[in-house]
């Protein structure tokens, strides 16, 4: 149990540092009145939604850090500018720029060289499609569930110019209790997840008879189950099979979709759930992660069905 705790701390502390920087850094920006200027860059997207303009500010920040953006959303919610439903949809919207970041940090440097332009390009397209579906879903739900909220959080801040020193001081005063709460919950959730992983709770998928069910070569089960544990490892193992014609491009696409469908829930439980619960609270955090992950899995499931129909 002690080794599990050490591993959890080793994993969680860097994340908490990012959360700390995001929480206090964005609060400083709000105190300085800079968020209103940032929101202009996202306003064209948000014109199609019923989300308040404050969400546009957090969306811009999410292009650099999703954690920082979501701590902004919590500040907006806790100060009464937006309600829980608006906060949840803002958080889902804030998850979409991560797909763009991953294209340049993961897809282009790793996936494309390993899998080639056809299969690798297909995988990149799946990421882009998932982001489009998520944004479209938020737009539709905001129109159905929300009335336009005119609140602009920046307007509640005094017009008096605030120095950087004063902004930092106010940020620390207002957010130290929130950060303490986030840190305690995140550490507890991360430790629980690491304990479950140590007990083998996330290895159930490695024994499924997927080769027979989906018509893929038996040897592809190795990269498939490896993908569930580590996408980079799975892709690295799948690449040589493609190069040696041990698996066709279509079969490789099926393996990627299967691996993604099994990996995403595990990744969400292991990584996203502790983070979102610590920021938004249990009910809202679980709802956001379930909804966002569900969309990603559904997109891959639909694509898998199309690939299977082509294969047959």
């Amino acid at each position: 149990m002690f080794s599990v705790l050490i591993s959890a701390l080793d994993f969680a502390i860097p994340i908490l540092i990012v959360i700390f920087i995001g929480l206090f850094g964005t609060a400083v920006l709000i105190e300085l009145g800079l968020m209103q200027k940032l929101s202009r860059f996202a306003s064209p997207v948000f014109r199609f939604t019923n989300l308040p303009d404050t969400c546009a500010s957090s969306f811009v920040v999410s292009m650099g850090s999703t954690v920082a953006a979501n701590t902004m959303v919590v500040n907006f919610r806790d100060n009464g500018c937006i309600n829980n439903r608006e906060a949840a949809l803002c958080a889902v919207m804030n998850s979409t720029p991560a797909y763009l970041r991953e294209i340049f940090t993961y897809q282009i440097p790793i996936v494309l060289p390993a899998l080639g332009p056809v299969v690798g390009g297909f995988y990149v397209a799946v990421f882009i499609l998932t982001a489009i579906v998520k944004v479209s879903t938020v737009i539709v739900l905001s129109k159905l569930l929300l009335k336009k909220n005119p609140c602009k959080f920046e307007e509640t801040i005094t017009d008096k110019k605030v120095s950087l020193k004063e902004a930092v001081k106010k940020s620390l005063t207002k957010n130290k209790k929130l950060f303490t709460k986030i840190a305690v919950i995140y550490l507890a959730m991360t430790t629980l997840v690491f304990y479950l992983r140590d007990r083998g709770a996330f290895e159930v998928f490695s024994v499924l008879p997927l080769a027979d069910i989906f018509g893929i070569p038996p040897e592809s089960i190795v990269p498939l189950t490896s993908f569930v544990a580590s996408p980079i490892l799975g892709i690295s193992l799948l690449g040589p099979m493609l190069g040696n014609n041990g698996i066709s491009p279509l079969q490789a696409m099926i393996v990627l979709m299967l691996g993604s469908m099994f990996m995403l829930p595990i990744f969400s439980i292991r990584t996203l759930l502790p983070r979102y619960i610590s920021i938004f609270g249990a009910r809202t955090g679980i709802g956001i992660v379930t909804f966002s992950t569900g969309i990603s899995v559904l997109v891959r499931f639909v694509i898998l069905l199309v690939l299977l129909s082509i294969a047959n």
Side-chain angles (χ1 to χ4, degrees):
M1 184 64 189
F2 181 74
S3 62
V4 171
L5 181 60
I6 295 298
S7 298
L9 287 172
D10 185 56
F11 176 84
I13 287 175
I15 301 296
L16 288 174
I17 290 172
V18 173
I19 291 175
F20 178 88
I21 294 171
L23 181 62
F24 291 99
T26 52
V28 169
L29 292 178
I30 290 172
E31 293 294 337
L32 293 173
L34 299 178
M35 285 294 98
Q36 189 172 3
K37 295 178 181 178
L38 288 174
S39 65
R40 295 172 188 169
F41 296 100
S43 57
V45 176
F46 282 81
R47 285 198 192 104
F48 296 101
T49 75
N50 275 350
L51 291 171
D53 291 339
T54 50
C55 289
S57 301
S58 69
F59 182 77
V60 171
V61 173
S62 72
M63 295 177 184
S65 169
T66 305
V67 173
N70 286 334
T71 55
M72 280 183 65
V73 173
V74 170
N75 275 320
F76 296 151
R77 184 192 66 182
D78 291 348
N79 284 276
C81 186
I82 62 177
N83 60 36
N84 229 27
R85 184 175 289 177
E86 290 166 333
L89 290 179
C90 284
V92 175
M93 188 71 101
N94 288 343
S95 71
T96 56
Y99 292 94
L100 181 62
R101 291 199 303 271
E102 285 205 16
I103 288 174
F104 295 100
T105 60
Y106 173 62
Q107 307 287 350
I108 293 177
I110 298 174
V111 175
L112 283 175
L115 299 180
V118 176
V119 179
F122 161 79
Y123 198 58
V124 173
V126 171
F127 266 69
I128 296 172
L129 178 61
T130 303
I132 293 172
V133 171
K134 280 191 178 182
V135 171
S136 302
T137 303
V138 170
I139 290 173
V140 171
L141 289 179
S142 71
K143 291 291 188 180
L144 293 175
L145 303 177
L146 304 177
K147 294 182 179 178
K148 191 66 177 177
N149 182 352
C151 178
K152 292 185 179 181
F153 186 70
E154 302 79 30
E155 292 179 353
T156 64
I157 300 172
T158 177
D159 293 332
K160 180 183 176 181
K161 287 189 176 181
V162 178
S163 68
L164 179 60
K165 183 178 179 180
E166 290 174 317
V168 171
K169 186 177 179 180
K170 287 183 179 180
S171 171
L172 290 170
T173 301
K174 289 181 179 180
N175 294 290
K176 61 183 179 181
K177 187 179 291 186
L178 175 60
F179 176 75
T180 302
K181 176 185 174 183
I182 289 173
V184 170
I185 296 174
Y186 188 77
L187 283 170
M189 288 292 298
T190 301
T191 303
L192 175 61
V193 169
F194 271 67
Y195 174 78
L196 291 173
R197 188 184 68 177
D198 190 59
R199 294 288 181 175
F202 301 129
E203 296 175 3
V204 63
F205 298 109
S206 62
V207 296
L208 293 178
L210 297 176
D212 292 334
I213 297 173
F214 293 99
I216 54 179
E219 57 268 27
S220 65
I221 293 299
V222 176
L224 174 55
T225 53
S226 300
F227 189 98
V228 175
S230 169
I232 293 177
L233 177 59
I235 286 169
S236 300
L237 293 172
L238 192 61
M241 293 181 63
L242 272 168
N244 296 329
N245 296 319
I247 187 172
S248 70
L250 182 59
Q251 289 173 327
M253 293 175 188
I254 292 173
V255 169
L256 287 171
M257 292 302 96
L258 284 171
S260 294
M261 287 173 59
F262 292 130
M263 177 272 294
L264 283 169
I266 293 176
F267 173 78
S268 296
I269 293 171
R270 186 176 61 195
T271 303
L272 296 183
L273 201 58
R275 192 177 303 175
Y276 277 80
I277 288 177
S278 66
I279 294 173
F280 289 97
R283 183 177 178 182
T284 303
I286 291 172
I288 293 169
V289 172
T290 302
F291 179 72
S292 183
T293 304
I295 291 175
S296 299
V297 172
L298 181 61
V299 169
R300 283 153 177 79
F301 178 70
V302 172
I303 294 173
L304 175 64
L305 291 180
V306 173
L307 294 174
L308 289 174
S309 67
I310 294 172
N312 295 328

